[in-house]
Amino acid sequence: MALSLVVLATGCHPVPDYRRTEPPVVRTPEQIALDTACPITPSPYLADAKARGSLTVVGIGSSSMEGIGASAPKYNFVSRLDAALKAALPGVTVRIINAGIGGQNLPQMIARFEKDVYANKPSLVILQAGMNDALQGRNADQYRKELQGALNDLKAHAVNVAMMSNQSAGKTGVTTNPSVVQLDLVNKEEAASRGIPVIDRYTLFKSLQDQGVNVASTYYIPDALHANDEGYRLITTCTLRKVFGLK
């Protein structure tokens, strides 16, 4: 006897998908700017510091390194970097030395290398130069020769280097001077040719400006030249990511 199978279709309904979906990730303007200018970059400095038990960094530069614009010393770049690296390196002796002097140009900084850099035997030097040279109208070719000499001298003394690029306060103030951009390019070209990391303040704040952020009022004091507490916070975050590989 043959068997018959009858299937009665009463309608086809999709089965609901009850799996949880994650909300879309929305990045803030700061996160976009940091990813653009200061991507997290693998770095040997923290591992070396843990192996040696010490880390010494000298920040040499002008007013930005000195900390002009911060409401208190603890909010400037060097102090913030000191606190962050000590937190990241428990049990390691961390010395972050502020050798910034407001108003100085590159030759004046070079003249201090022996006393303020080499005498401290640093693991790393952060060189912030070019802003005053630009504002003083110094020749770009001469500046390049001086920078090359400075970087060669640091290498001869077996000192690792990171560079800090020039400021950009948006469309306001003296940071719009064409020489600021010109010498910033010299810094980046010389750094790239040597594999030196750049704390790219110019691109960092330019990215925020391009996103519609009023950079001058948010990250600078009224002179639109020196960072305020928020500006120094962001520059420190950029440094931790780009130079030390920290989030």
Side-chain angles (χ1 to χ4, degrees):
M1 174 187 289
L3 295 177
S4 298
L5 178 64
V6 177
V7 178
L8 179 63
T10 58
C12 183
H13 301 283
V15 177
D17 185 352
Y18 292 107
R19 291 175 298 180
R20 295 180 62 182
T21 58
E22 296 295 328
V25 176
V26 179
R27 294 191 298 163
T28 67
E30 280 195 1
Q31 289 170 329
I32 293 170
L34 286 166
D35 287 342
T36 300
C38 319
I40 297 172
T41 305
S43 163
Y45 297 119
L46 298 189
D48 289 350
K50 290 175 183 178
R52 289 194 312 271
S54 66
L55 173 67
T56 299
V57 179
V58 173
I60 188 165
S62 57
S63 55
S64 294
M65 192 64 70
E66 182 181 355
I68 301 301
S71 64
K74 67 179 180 180
Y75 296 125
N76 69 33
F77 167 71
V78 172
S79 295
R80 287 178 181 273
L81 186 63
D82 180 77
L85 290 176
K86 283 177 177 173
L89 293 167
V92 174
T93 300
V94 175
R95 296 171 64 227
I96 314 297
I97 298 166
N98 191 336
I101 297 179
Q104 287 205 332
N105 58 28
L106 180 57
Q108 291 171 315
M109 296 172 202
I110 294 171
R112 296 193 286 119
F113 275 9
E114 194 64 44
K115 175 175 67 75
D116 290 342
V117 177
Y118 304 137
N120 287 299
K121 297 180 170 54
S123 312
L124 173 71
V125 164
I126 299 176
L127 174 62
Q128 175 259 313
M131 194 73 196
N132 287 322
D133 300 82
L135 298 181
Q136 292 165 9
R138 302 191 66 239
N139 179 271
D141 291 335
Q142 180 62 32
Y143 176 82
R144 186 186 295 274
K145 291 178 183 177
E146 293 163 353
L147 180 60
Q148 290 171 341
L151 296 177
N152 290 340
D153 194 55
L154 289 163
K155 182 178 180 180
H157 283 79
V159 176
N160 294 307
V161 182
M163 292 188 64
M164 183 179 288
S165 76
N166 286 344
Q167 300 268 43
S168 175
K171 299 178 180 179
T172 303
V174 296
T175 64
T176 59
N177 185 320
S179 293
V180 171
V181 181
Q182 185 182 28
L183 295 196
D184 192 57
L185 181 60
V186 171
N187 284 340
K188 290 173 180 173
E189 288 173 347
E190 294 302 321
S193 71
R194 293 166 169 79
I196 292 173
V198 175
I199 304 158
D200 196 349
R201 296 186 298 175
Y202 194 91
T203 300
L204 178 67
F205 291 116
K206 180 69 165 53
S207 175
L208 287 163
Q209 174 193 315
D210 292 344
Q211 295 177 74
V213 176
N214 187 328
V215 170
S217 64
T218 305
Y219 297 101
Y220 286 79
I221 62 174
D223 69 3
L225 173 61
H226 298 100
N228 60 18
D229 293 352
E230 286 299 289
Y232 283 122
R233 173 188 59 78
L234 194 58
I235 294 165
T236 305
T237 301
C238 177
T239 304
L240 293 170
R241 289 165 60 103
K242 187 70 178 289
V243 179
F244 295 96
L246 290 170
K247 293 183 180 180

